[in-house]
Amino acid sequence: MNRIVTYKLAPGVLLLAAAAVLPLVSDGYWLSIATTAMMYIALSTSWALFSGPTHLIALSTGAFFGIGGYLVGTGMSDYDQSFWTMAQIAPVVATALALLVGLATLRLSGVYFVIFTLGLAEMVRNLVSWVQNNFLGSRGLYVLTDFTEAHIYWMLLAVAAVVFLAGSWINQSRLGFALRIIGNDEEVARHVGINTAWSKVILFMTTGFFAALVGAIVAPRYSYIEPNVVFSPELSFMVVIMALLGGVHRLWGPLVGVIPFTLAWEAITVSFPNSTTLFLGLSFLLIVYLIPHGFTGLFETMLGRMRK
Amino acid sequence: MTPGDRILQVQNLTKRFGGLVAVNDLSFDVRVHEVMGIIGPNGSGKSTTMNLISGALKASSGAIVLKGADLMPLPPHKIARLGVARTFQLVRILPKLTVLENVIAGAAFSHKPRWGAEAERFASDLLDRLELGDKKDLGVDALTYIDQKRLELARALASEPEVLLLDEWLAGLNPSELQIGIALIADLRSEGRTIILVEHVMDAIRSLCDRCVVMNSGTKIAEGTPAEVLSDAEVIRAYLGEG
Amino acid sequence: MDILLSGLLLGGTYALMAMGLNLQYGVARIMNLANGEMLVLGGLAAFWLFTSAAISPLLTIVIVAPLAFVGNWLVYRFLLLPLVRRAKNQGQLEVDSILATFGMSFVLVGVMVSIHGEYFTYSFLADPFTLLGNTVALNRLVAFVGACIIGGALYYWLNRTYSGTAVRAVSVSTEAAGLVGINVDRVSALAFAIGGAVTAVGGTLISTFITLDASIGVIFTMKALIILIMGGVGDIRGAIIAALILGLVETIVATVIDPGLTLVAAYAIFLCVLLFRPQGLFGRKTT
């Protein structure tokens, strides 16, 4: 048993160690790309914990991420709170919002959930801007910390590691098993005794928690927080694409998608700054029509063929 | 509970779909260790009754009482956790899980939950008993139709149900498979399980059921041993039509 | 009273785009999240023809409708039908069509941004008009009348013609419709194409009184979806009433509280529907 655990953990620990030394050997441009990639690794891996087994495309990442960034901004600028306090409050608030959204939508057919999350980031942004303009005064929100890019990178790495640990724990737990059964056949799931609504809500809250935590950690990168920037619907779609590109039926699938996509995206935004939306659309079409099970699915089919 | 005690009571159960009354004022009791058959022509409300007991549908009025607990207001997962397990009219197995995982799915969330190594051992034993032991690590798409039926039954049994609902479990089997299927349910019966089965196969009803309820157009028209009800004039009329 | 009237007029145009989506989801079973972009395309055509060739948006409809019909038919036939055939169940089709139409919506936004990246501002019939003692903008009224005519024609087609009956049959059950000899693929393609054309025409009409831009489509998709769910899938009467409610509430919130809160208002309605009437306004509770 111990040998199996070591065997399973070893590659993870090695990867973690390699990732941790990266800021020591690289800085500037590549560190900034690595930080962005680390952010997406944490986001899309936690997204896949819920959306992978249930097949429910959650587009709420932008909303939760935005809550993280905005709360850090308003807490530090308007209420003189420390970054650390706000980084603890933000995920709790996002988890509560995920609970409400989940309770309202996840009892019903999956389409309602997808639609509800589709405009969620934009809706929360409108609400937040309105409250900000009418009641708090439209002062700018500054996030001034001593963090360097490397600090943010390490924090994101820690979150990503926790997401992986949580993910492998969930996958081996009855909760994870319940989610897989729900994704196979929700009717059967109910009849074997699974509280399907709650199981989904709990996992959805987990993704909300991590998205807000990441949003809070990334906030110092912006220095100046505007609701328009942090509540980005585009972010939700990026996370979906990267996770699906890697494949969501394995815990490490999204990781495989994030790294090439972040690099490709960097190249695209530099070379075709006005066509990013077009490329985003083409990526979706590419995934749906050519690699519906992601890179991991592709590898596994190829491995299967080679064995035959 | 001792044999002969009433474990499940269905009282004045009614289900309306819009203007259509699918189940009309239906009452019957099921006793411990008894195999109760629900029979009747197509569209007489048998499967609807099963769906009402398992909670897949909500009744319009009436009561379903399992060992003193009213199941009516409960969602399906709570009913399952009180010890009601079912198979589906059209076989429903979990397509992306292995055979073994399909059975563990039945055990993990039931009123006697099992998990981890214990669940695996329990599910393996169950599969061995249903002659699926050598297929437990396969994907379910490798299974023949009767094996899929067996697997669905294994999943239901994995929860160690107080009451097992079999909704046309024998439907679609060929004659030789049918003999195997009937023998399998006969085994369950001799183990002393409490079963409600909806069935069209008359041989199965005669050989398996202790008692039957006969339904026609949503209403109970007869109740008794298979021999009694199958010689009942109204039952014969219902099956052969008003001629 | 002014608010009430302009709210109702706005709702009339919303009803049109929701009808388009309703045909696409209710009949062709494609959750088309590029619906809003189709609407914006209709608006872009009106803007472009009006500013470059001074063609009236009312005339543009005649050009937009057949183009959108053909375009949507092609999309269904070559991009969506393969997904319908590949899907093992409704759930998988839903996921695939959601992702594919996301892709299409982004591609369309990208293309439109490259055509015209700014607001589609033009002024057509922006004159005040007195109706029942109230002043409304003439273009709103014209758009409403246009929506009523098209909606009426659609209703007549669905309920009084042979092909319309086939469409309704498919919306009830693809399987049963196939059994009675209806070519389900063809009817679905037809419904998808007509749905797209209706939405695009709705966009042309809306663009006369709301300033659109290339990336605003998703907001209209949201609104159409909220109307669809509130009215009940496949229920035209429900969709019309839901659209009027949404138009009214949005106009009230925009004038009384803040124009920036219209989406919040739409979400509030959505939430109420999900909590209290998830089966739609007139839908019977399914069990």
Side-chain angles (χ1 to χ4, degrees), chain A residues 172-174 177 180-181 184-185 187-188 190-195, chain B residues 54 77 80-81 92 95-97 101 105 108-109 113 115 155:
Chain A
Q172 284 164 28
S173 73
R174 287 203 297 166
F177 189 50
R180 278 175 68 205
I181 297 172
N184 270 267
D185 190 329
E187 177 89 13
V188 169
R190 276 194 281 271
H191 282 99
V192 297
I194 295 170
N195 187 342
Chain B
S54 73
H77 72 269
R81 285 181 185 194
R92 288 179 101 145
K96 287 179 188 157
L97 268 53
E101 286 175 327
F109 309 95
W115 186 241
R155 185 178 70 210

PDB file of all heavy atoms in Angstrom, chain A residues 172-174 177 180-181 184-185 187-188 190-195, chain B residues 54 77 80-81 92 95-97 101 105 108-109 113 115 155:
ATOM      1  N   GLN A 172     -11.353  10.048  -4.445  1.00  0.00           N
ATOM      2  CA  GLN A 172     -11.378   8.760  -3.762  1.00  0.00           C
ATOM      3  C   GLN A 172     -12.488   8.679  -2.728  1.00  0.00           C
ATOM      4  O   GLN A 172     -12.684   7.646  -2.113  1.00  0.00           O
ATOM      5  CB  GLN A 172     -10.035   8.523  -3.072  1.00  0.00           C
ATOM      6  CG  GLN A 172      -8.961   8.115  -4.077  1.00  0.00           C
ATOM      7  CD  GLN A 172      -7.575   8.259  -3.502  1.00  0.00           C
ATOM      8  OE1 GLN A 172      -7.382   8.150  -2.299  1.00  0.00           O
ATOM      9  NE2 GLN A 172      -6.616   8.522  -4.369  1.00  0.00           N
ATOM     10  N   SER A 173     -13.204   9.779  -2.560  1.00  0.00           N
ATOM     11  CA  SER A 173     -14.231   9.786  -1.527  1.00  0.00           C
ATOM     12  C   SER A 173     -15.581   9.399  -2.120  1.00  0.00           C
ATOM     13  O   SER A 173     -15.750   9.311  -3.333  1.00  0.00           O
ATOM     14  CB  SER A 173     -14.348  11.177  -0.920  1.00  0.00           C
ATOM     15  OG  SER A 173     -14.975  12.031  -1.861  1.00  0.00           O
ATOM     16  N   ARG A 174     -16.525   9.168  -1.220  1.00  0.00           N
ATOM     17  CA  ARG A 174     -17.866   8.837  -1.699  1.00  0.00           C
ATOM     18  C   ARG A 174     -18.491  10.018  -2.425  1.00  0.00           C
ATOM     19  O   ARG A 174     -19.279   9.841  -3.344  1.00  0.00           O
ATOM     20  CB  ARG A 174     -18.748   8.414  -0.513  1.00  0.00           C
ATOM     21  CG  ARG A 174     -18.373   7.048   0.000  1.00  0.00           C
ATOM     22  CD  ARG A 174     -19.515   6.415   0.733  1.00  0.00           C
ATOM     23  NE  ARG A 174     -19.868   7.197   1.913  1.00  0.00           N
ATOM     24  CZ  ARG A 174     -20.991   7.015   2.589  1.00  0.00           C
ATOM     25  NH1 ARG A 174     -21.864   6.108   2.195  1.00  0.00           N
ATOM     26  NH2 ARG A 174     -21.242   7.723   3.646  1.00  0.00           N
ATOM     27  N   PHE A 177     -17.340   9.862  -5.946  1.00  0.00           N
ATOM     28  CA  PHE A 177     -18.004   8.729  -6.594  1.00  0.00           C
ATOM     29  C   PHE A 177     -19.454   9.098  -6.918  1.00  0.00           C
ATOM     30  O   PHE A 177     -19.949   8.815  -8.002  1.00  0.00           O
ATOM     31  CB  PHE A 177     -17.929   7.513  -5.662  1.00  0.00           C
ATOM     32  CG  PHE A 177     -18.379   6.223  -6.282  1.00  0.00           C
ATOM     33  CD1 PHE A 177     -17.893   5.818  -7.511  1.00  0.00           C
ATOM     34  CD2 PHE A 177     -19.280   5.401  -5.619  1.00  0.00           C
ATOM     35  CE1 PHE A 177     -18.311   4.613  -8.083  1.00  0.00           C
ATOM     36  CE2 PHE A 177     -19.690   4.199  -6.176  1.00  0.00           C
ATOM     37  CZ  PHE A 177     -19.213   3.812  -7.410  1.00  0.00           C
ATOM     38  N   ARG A 180     -19.630  11.150  -9.991  1.00  0.00           N
ATOM     39  CA  ARG A 180     -19.473  10.358 -11.217  1.00  0.00           C
ATOM     40  C   ARG A 180     -20.772   9.642 -11.565  1.00  0.00           C
ATOM     41  O   ARG A 180     -21.156   9.555 -12.729  1.00  0.00           O
ATOM     42  CB  ARG A 180     -18.358   9.325 -11.035  1.00  0.00           C
ATOM     43  CG  ARG A 180     -16.968   9.895 -11.243  1.00  0.00           C
ATOM     44  CD  ARG A 180     -15.914   8.862 -10.925  1.00  0.00           C
ATOM     45  NE  ARG A 180     -15.894   7.763 -11.886  1.00  0.00           N
ATOM     46  CZ  ARG A 180     -15.447   6.539 -11.614  1.00  0.00           C
ATOM     47  NH1 ARG A 180     -14.991   6.268 -10.405  1.00  0.00           N
ATOM     48  NH2 ARG A 180     -15.449   5.602 -12.525  1.00  0.00           N
ATOM     49  N   ILE A 181     -21.443   9.129 -10.551  1.00  0.00           N
ATOM     50  CA  ILE A 181     -22.709   8.436 -10.811  1.00  0.00           C
ATOM     51  C   ILE A 181     -23.734   9.433 -11.354  1.00  0.00           C
ATOM     52  O   ILE A 181     -24.459   9.151 -12.299  1.00  0.00           O
ATOM     53  CB  ILE A 181     -23.225   7.754  -9.521  1.00  0.00           C
ATOM     54  CG1 ILE A 181     -22.228   6.694  -9.074  1.00  0.00           C
ATOM     55  CG2 ILE A 181     -24.593   7.138  -9.750  1.00  0.00           C
ATOM     56  CD1 ILE A 181     -22.531   6.099  -7.721  1.00  0.00           C
ATOM     57  N   ASN A 184     -23.209  10.011 -14.896  1.00  0.00           N
ATOM     58  CA  ASN A 184     -23.624   8.870 -15.716  1.00  0.00           C
ATOM     59  C   ASN A 184     -25.133   8.822 -15.887  1.00  0.00           C
ATOM     60  O   ASN A 184     -25.628   8.639 -16.991  1.00  0.00           O
ATOM     61  CB  ASN A 184     -23.162   7.560 -15.066  1.00  0.00           C
ATOM     62  CG  ASN A 184     -21.793   7.146 -15.526  1.00  0.00           C
ATOM     63  OD1 ASN A 184     -21.661   6.397 -16.462  1.00  0.00           O
ATOM     64  ND2 ASN A 184     -20.757   7.679 -14.888  1.00  0.00           N
ATOM     65  N   ASP A 185     -25.845   8.937 -14.811  1.00  0.00           N
ATOM     66  CA  ASP A 185     -27.303   8.818 -14.867  1.00  0.00           C
ATOM     67  C   ASP A 185     -27.872   9.364 -13.557  1.00  0.00           C
ATOM     68  O   ASP A 185     -27.828   8.709 -12.529  1.00  0.00           O
ATOM     69  CB  ASP A 185     -27.704   7.344 -15.063  1.00  0.00           C
ATOM     70  CG  ASP A 185     -29.189   7.186 -15.360  1.00  0.00           C
ATOM     71  OD1 ASP A 185     -29.990   8.015 -14.876  1.00  0.00           O
ATOM     72  OD2 ASP A 185     -29.547   6.231 -16.063  1.00  0.00           O
ATOM     73  N   GLU A 187     -30.888   9.917 -12.610  1.00  0.00           N
ATOM     74  CA  GLU A 187     -32.046   9.183 -12.095  1.00  0.00           C
ATOM     75  C   GLU A 187     -31.589   7.979 -11.258  1.00  0.00           C
ATOM     76  O   GLU A 187     -32.065   7.759 -10.147  1.00  0.00           O
ATOM     77  CB  GLU A 187     -32.883   8.721 -13.302  1.00  0.00           C
ATOM     78  CG  GLU A 187     -34.078   7.890 -12.966  1.00  0.00           C
ATOM     79  CD  GLU A 187     -35.313   8.726 -12.709  1.00  0.00           C
ATOM     80  OE1 GLU A 187     -35.275   9.918 -13.035  1.00  0.00           O
ATOM     81  OE2 GLU A 187     -36.297   8.186 -12.185  1.00  0.00           O
ATOM     82  N   VAL A 188     -30.627   7.230 -11.796  1.00  0.00           N
ATOM     83  CA  VAL A 188     -30.098   6.095 -11.043  1.00  0.00           C
ATOM     84  C   VAL A 188     -29.444   6.601  -9.761  1.00  0.00           C
ATOM     85  O   VAL A 188     -29.625   6.027  -8.685  1.00  0.00           O
ATOM     86  CB  VAL A 188     -29.082   5.292 -11.893  1.00  0.00           C
ATOM     87  CG1 VAL A 188     -28.346   4.286 -11.028  1.00  0.00           C
ATOM     88  CG2 VAL A 188     -29.791   4.588 -13.034  1.00  0.00           C
ATOM     89  N   ARG A 190     -30.156   9.095  -7.888  1.00  0.00           N
ATOM     90  CA  ARG A 190     -31.172   9.343  -6.850  1.00  0.00           C
ATOM     91  C   ARG A 190     -31.652   8.037  -6.243  1.00  0.00           C
ATOM     92  O   ARG A 190     -31.851   7.939  -5.042  1.00  0.00           O
ATOM     93  CB  ARG A 190     -32.362  10.070  -7.471  1.00  0.00           C
ATOM     94  CG  ARG A 190     -32.187  11.565  -7.550  1.00  0.00           C
ATOM     95  CD  ARG A 190     -33.513  12.234  -7.847  1.00  0.00           C
ATOM     96  NE  ARG A 190     -33.835  12.138  -9.264  1.00  0.00           N
ATOM     97  CZ  ARG A 190     -33.458  13.041 -10.162  1.00  0.00           C
ATOM     98  NH1 ARG A 190     -32.777  14.095  -9.777  1.00  0.00           N
ATOM     99  NH2 ARG A 190     -33.754  12.891 -11.424  1.00  0.00           N
ATOM    100  N   HIS A 191     -31.828   7.026  -7.100  1.00  0.00           N
ATOM    101  CA  HIS A 191     -32.425   5.790  -6.602  1.00  0.00           C
ATOM    102  C   HIS A 191     -31.439   4.880  -5.884  1.00  0.00           C
ATOM    103  O   HIS A 191     -31.848   3.877  -5.316  1.00  0.00           O
ATOM    104  CB  HIS A 191     -33.117   5.041  -7.748  1.00  0.00           C
ATOM    105  CG  HIS A 191     -34.441   5.632  -8.081  1.00  0.00           C
ATOM    106  ND1 HIS A 191     -34.612   6.491  -9.133  1.00  0.00           N
ATOM    107  CD2 HIS A 191     -35.648   5.532  -7.479  1.00  0.00           C
ATOM    108  CE1 HIS A 191     -35.880   6.874  -9.175  1.00  0.00           C
ATOM    109  NE2 HIS A 191     -36.523   6.320  -8.189  1.00  0.00           N
ATOM    110  N   VAL A 192     -30.146   5.181  -5.932  1.00  0.00           N
ATOM    111  CA  VAL A 192     -29.242   4.414  -5.069  1.00  0.00           C
ATOM    112  C   VAL A 192     -28.980   5.176  -3.775  1.00  0.00           C
ATOM    113  O   VAL A 192     -28.170   4.755  -2.957  1.00  0.00           O
ATOM    114  CB  VAL A 192     -27.897   4.038  -5.751  1.00  0.00           C
ATOM    115  CG1 VAL A 192     -28.132   3.124  -6.935  1.00  0.00           C
ATOM    116  CG2 VAL A 192     -27.121   5.267  -6.153  1.00  0.00           C
ATOM    117  N   GLY A 193     -29.664   6.294  -3.586  1.00  0.00           N
ATOM    118  CA  GLY A 193     -29.577   6.977  -2.302  1.00  0.00           C
ATOM    119  C   GLY A 193     -28.704   8.210  -2.271  1.00  0.00           C
ATOM    120  O   GLY A 193     -28.315   8.672  -1.198  1.00  0.00           O
ATOM    121  N   ILE A 194     -28.390   8.764  -3.444  1.00  0.00           N
ATOM    122  CA  ILE A 194     -27.534   9.954  -3.453  1.00  0.00           C
ATOM    123  C   ILE A 194     -28.390  11.206  -3.444  1.00  0.00           C
ATOM    124  O   ILE A 194     -29.322  11.344  -4.234  1.00  0.00           O
ATOM    125  CB  ILE A 194     -26.638   9.946  -4.711  1.00  0.00           C
ATOM    126  CG1 ILE A 194     -25.675   8.767  -4.662  1.00  0.00           C
ATOM    127  CG2 ILE A 194     -25.865  11.259  -4.831  1.00  0.00           C
ATOM    128  CD1 ILE A 194     -24.931   8.528  -5.952  1.00  0.00           C
ATOM    129  N   ASN A 195     -28.063  12.115  -2.554  1.00  0.00           N
ATOM    130  CA  ASN A 195     -28.720  13.418  -2.554  1.00  0.00           C
ATOM    131  C   ASN A 195     -28.049  14.238  -3.654  1.00  0.00           C
ATOM    132  O   ASN A 195     -27.042  14.905  -3.436  1.00  0.00           O
ATOM    133  CB  ASN A 195     -28.564  14.086  -1.186  1.00  0.00           C
ATOM    134  CG  ASN A 195     -29.375  15.366  -1.099  1.00  0.00           C
ATOM    135  OD1 ASN A 195     -29.773  15.938  -2.119  1.00  0.00           O
ATOM    136  ND2 ASN A 195     -29.634  15.804   0.117  1.00  0.00           N
TER     137      ASN A 195
ATOM    138  N   SER B  54     -40.986   4.071  -5.360  1.00  0.00           N
ATOM    139  CA  SER B  54     -39.562   4.418  -5.298  1.00  0.00           C
ATOM    140  C   SER B  54     -39.347   5.926  -5.245  1.00  0.00           C
ATOM    141  O   SER B  54     -38.226   6.393  -5.074  1.00  0.00           O
ATOM    142  CB  SER B  54     -38.819   3.843  -6.500  1.00  0.00           C
ATOM    143  OG  SER B  54     -39.142   4.559  -7.667  1.00  0.00           O
ATOM    144  N   HIS B  77     -33.935   9.687  -3.029  1.00  0.00           N
ATOM    145  CA  HIS B  77     -32.729   9.227  -2.336  1.00  0.00           C
ATOM    146  C   HIS B  77     -33.010   8.892  -0.883  1.00  0.00           C
ATOM    147  O   HIS B  77     -32.369   8.017  -0.297  1.00  0.00           O
ATOM    148  CB  HIS B  77     -31.589  10.239  -2.478  1.00  0.00           C
ATOM    149  CG  HIS B  77     -31.760  11.497  -1.702  1.00  0.00           C
ATOM    150  ND1 HIS B  77     -32.368  12.618  -2.215  1.00  0.00           N
ATOM    151  CD2 HIS B  77     -31.401  11.813  -0.435  1.00  0.00           C
ATOM    152  CE1 HIS B  77     -32.370  13.573  -1.297  1.00  0.00           C
ATOM    153  NE2 HIS B  77     -31.785  13.115  -0.209  1.00  0.00           N
ATOM    154  N   ALA B  80     -34.627   5.494  -0.926  1.00  0.00           N
ATOM    155  CA  ALA B  80     -33.586   4.484  -1.116  1.00  0.00           C
ATOM    156  C   ALA B  80     -32.867   4.218   0.198  1.00  0.00           C
ATOM    157  O   ALA B  80     -32.569   3.075   0.537  1.00  0.00           O
ATOM    158  CB  ALA B  80     -32.602   4.948  -2.186  1.00  0.00           C
ATOM    159  N   ARG B  81     -32.611   5.282   0.959  1.00  0.00           N
ATOM    160  CA  ARG B  81     -31.869   5.109   2.214  1.00  0.00           C
ATOM    161  C   ARG B  81     -32.701   4.476   3.314  1.00  0.00           C
ATOM    162  O   ARG B  81     -32.177   4.094   4.363  1.00  0.00           O
ATOM    163  CB  ARG B  81     -31.317   6.458   2.687  1.00  0.00           C
ATOM    164  CG  ARG B  81     -30.130   6.868   1.850  1.00  0.00           C
ATOM    165  CD  ARG B  81     -29.546   8.162   2.294  1.00  0.00           C
ATOM    166  NE  ARG B  81     -28.472   8.544   1.365  1.00  0.00           N
ATOM    167  CZ  ARG B  81     -27.591   9.472   1.611  1.00  0.00           C
ATOM    168  NH1 ARG B  81     -27.628  10.125   2.763  1.00  0.00           N
ATOM    169  NH2 ARG B  81     -26.669   9.767   0.738  1.00  0.00           N
ATOM    170  N   ARG B  92     -31.043   0.201 -16.778  1.00  0.00           N
ATOM    171  CA  ARG B  92     -30.228   1.405 -16.640  1.00  0.00           C
ATOM    172  C   ARG B  92     -28.994   1.072 -15.828  1.00  0.00           C
ATOM    173  O   ARG B  92     -29.046   0.984 -14.605  1.00  0.00           O
ATOM    174  CB  ARG B  92     -31.003   2.508 -15.911  1.00  0.00           C
ATOM    175  CG  ARG B  92     -32.083   3.119 -16.749  1.00  0.00           C
ATOM    176  CD  ARG B  92     -32.798   4.158 -15.966  1.00  0.00           C
ATOM    177  NE  ARG B  92     -32.332   5.487 -16.329  1.00  0.00           N
ATOM    178  CZ  ARG B  92     -33.143   6.547 -16.369  1.00  0.00           C
ATOM    179  NH1 ARG B  92     -34.407   6.439 -16.038  1.00  0.00           N
ATOM    180  NH2 ARG B  92     -32.681   7.718 -16.704  1.00  0.00           N
ATOM    181  N   PRO B  95     -22.968   3.740 -17.596  1.00  0.00           N
ATOM    182  CA  PRO B  95     -22.161   3.333 -18.756  1.00  0.00           C
ATOM    183  C   PRO B  95     -20.663   3.569 -18.610  1.00  0.00           C
ATOM    184  O   PRO B  95     -19.880   2.834 -19.191  1.00  0.00           O
ATOM    185  CB  PRO B  95     -22.739   4.168 -19.900  1.00  0.00           C
ATOM    186  CG  PRO B  95     -23.452   5.302 -19.258  1.00  0.00           C
ATOM    187  CD  PRO B  95     -23.932   4.791 -17.932  1.00  0.00           C
ATOM    188  N   LYS B  96     -20.243   4.569 -17.838  1.00  0.00           N
ATOM    189  CA  LYS B  96     -18.817   4.854 -17.793  1.00  0.00           C
ATOM    190  C   LYS B  96     -18.130   4.271 -16.561  1.00  0.00           C
ATOM    191  O   LYS B  96     -16.976   4.590 -16.277  1.00  0.00           O
ATOM    192  CB  LYS B  96     -18.572   6.366 -17.866  1.00  0.00           C
ATOM    193  CG  LYS B  96     -18.836   6.894 -19.268  1.00  0.00           C
ATOM    194  CD  LYS B  96     -18.613   8.371 -19.352  1.00  0.00           C
ATOM    195  CE  LYS B  96     -19.065   8.903 -20.696  1.00  0.00           C
ATOM    196  NZ  LYS B  96     -19.369  10.339 -20.631  1.00  0.00           N
ATOM    197  N   LEU B  97     -18.853   3.444 -15.828  1.00  0.00           N
ATOM    198  CA  LEU B  97     -18.258   2.804 -14.666  1.00  0.00           C
ATOM    199  C   LEU B  97     -17.998   1.335 -14.994  1.00  0.00           C
ATOM    200  O   LEU B  97     -18.650   0.772 -15.877  1.00  0.00           O
ATOM    201  CB  LEU B  97     -19.219   2.907 -13.472  1.00  0.00           C
ATOM    202  CG  LEU B  97     -19.076   4.103 -12.528  1.00  0.00           C
ATOM    203  CD1 LEU B  97     -19.103   5.407 -13.290  1.00  0.00           C
ATOM    204  CD2 LEU B  97     -20.171   4.103 -11.491  1.00  0.00           C
ATOM    205  N   GLU B 101     -17.738  -1.212 -10.101  1.00  0.00           N
ATOM    206  CA  GLU B 101     -18.155   0.110  -9.618  1.00  0.00           C
ATOM    207  C   GLU B 101     -19.670   0.282  -9.668  1.00  0.00           C
ATOM    208  O   GLU B 101     -20.264   0.933  -8.812  1.00  0.00           O
ATOM    209  CB  GLU B 101     -17.485   1.209 -10.458  1.00  0.00           C
ATOM    210  CG  GLU B 101     -16.007   1.396 -10.162  1.00  0.00           C
ATOM    211  CD  GLU B 101     -15.342   2.395 -11.095  1.00  0.00           C
ATOM    212  OE1 GLU B 101     -15.739   2.480 -12.283  1.00  0.00           O
ATOM    213  OE2 GLU B 101     -14.429   3.092 -10.644  1.00  0.00           O
ATOM    214  N   ALA B 105     -21.831   1.289  -6.475  1.00  0.00           N
ATOM    215  CA  ALA B 105     -22.761   2.421  -6.500  1.00  0.00           C
ATOM    216  C   ALA B 105     -24.020   2.099  -5.705  1.00  0.00           C
ATOM    217  O   ALA B 105     -24.593   2.972  -5.048  1.00  0.00           O
ATOM    218  CB  ALA B 105     -23.122   2.784  -7.941  1.00  0.00           C
ATOM    219  N   ALA B 108     -22.789   2.001  -1.706  1.00  0.00           N
ATOM    220  CA  ALA B 108     -22.104   3.093  -1.022  1.00  0.00           C
ATOM    221  C   ALA B 108     -23.037   4.094  -0.339  1.00  0.00           C
ATOM    222  O   ALA B 108     -22.641   4.781   0.601  1.00  0.00           O
ATOM    223  CB  ALA B 108     -21.193   3.826  -2.009  1.00  0.00           C
ATOM    224  N   PHE B 109     -24.264   4.209  -0.825  1.00  0.00           N
ATOM    225  CA  PHE B 109     -25.124   5.280  -0.307  1.00  0.00           C
ATOM    226  C   PHE B 109     -26.408   4.739   0.307  1.00  0.00           C
ATOM    227  O   PHE B 109     -27.368   5.462   0.501  1.00  0.00           O
ATOM    228  CB  PHE B 109     -25.459   6.256  -1.448  1.00  0.00           C
ATOM    229  CG  PHE B 109     -24.245   6.727  -2.183  1.00  0.00           C
ATOM    230  CD1 PHE B 109     -23.822   6.116  -3.341  1.00  0.00           C
ATOM    231  CD2 PHE B 109     -23.494   7.793  -1.670  1.00  0.00           C
ATOM    232  CE1 PHE B 109     -22.671   6.542  -4.002  1.00  0.00           C
ATOM    233  CE2 PHE B 109     -22.346   8.218  -2.315  1.00  0.00           C
ATOM    234  CZ  PHE B 109     -21.934   7.592  -3.486  1.00  0.00           C
ATOM    235  N   PRO B 113     -24.496   1.605   4.468  1.00  0.00           N
ATOM    236  CA  PRO B 113     -23.445   2.037   3.535  1.00  0.00           C
ATOM    237  C   PRO B 113     -22.145   1.273   3.719  1.00  0.00           C
ATOM    238  O   PRO B 113     -21.721   0.981   4.828  1.00  0.00           O
ATOM    239  CB  PRO B 113     -23.271   3.519   3.871  1.00  0.00           C
ATOM    240  CG  PRO B 113     -23.821   3.689   5.230  1.00  0.00           C
ATOM    241  CD  PRO B 113     -24.892   2.672   5.389  1.00  0.00           C
ATOM    242  N   TRP B 115     -18.054   1.144   2.018  1.00  0.00           N
ATOM    243  CA  TRP B 115     -17.131   1.929   1.211  1.00  0.00           C
ATOM    244  C   TRP B 115     -15.741   1.339   1.316  1.00  0.00           C
ATOM    245  O   TRP B 115     -15.457   0.599   2.252  1.00  0.00           O
ATOM    246  CB  TRP B 115     -17.158   3.394   1.673  1.00  0.00           C
ATOM    247  CG  TRP B 115     -16.342   4.311   0.806  1.00  0.00           C
ATOM    248  CD1 TRP B 115     -15.272   5.059   1.186  1.00  0.00           C
ATOM    249  CD2 TRP B 115     -16.535   4.568  -0.573  1.00  0.00           C
ATOM    250  NE1 TRP B 115     -14.789   5.769   0.140  1.00  0.00           N
ATOM    251  CE2 TRP B 115     -15.534   5.487  -0.961  1.00  0.00           C
ATOM    252  CE3 TRP B 115     -17.432   4.101  -1.535  1.00  0.00           C
ATOM    253  CZ2 TRP B 115     -15.418   5.949  -2.279  1.00  0.00           C
ATOM    254  CZ3 TRP B 115     -17.321   4.566  -2.833  1.00  0.00           C
ATOM    255  CH2 TRP B 115     -16.313   5.486  -3.192  1.00  0.00           C
ATOM    256  N   ARG B 155     -26.703  -4.375  -8.450  1.00  0.00           N
ATOM    257  CA  ARG B 155     -26.646  -3.026  -7.878  1.00  0.00           C
ATOM    258  C   ARG B 155     -27.768  -2.828  -6.857  1.00  0.00           C
ATOM    259  O   ARG B 155     -27.557  -2.269  -5.784  1.00  0.00           O
ATOM    260  CB  ARG B 155     -26.762  -1.985  -8.988  1.00  0.00           C
ATOM    261  CG  ARG B 155     -26.600  -0.566  -8.497  1.00  0.00           C
ATOM    262  CD  ARG B 155     -26.674   0.427  -9.627  1.00  0.00           C
ATOM    263  NE  ARG B 155     -28.028   0.510 -10.162  1.00  0.00           N
ATOM    264  CZ  ARG B 155     -28.315   0.812 -11.429  1.00  0.00           C
ATOM    265  NH1 ARG B 155     -27.358   1.055 -12.285  1.00  0.00           N
ATOM    266  NH2 ARG B 155     -29.563   0.867 -11.832  1.00  0.00           N
TER     267      ARG B 155
END
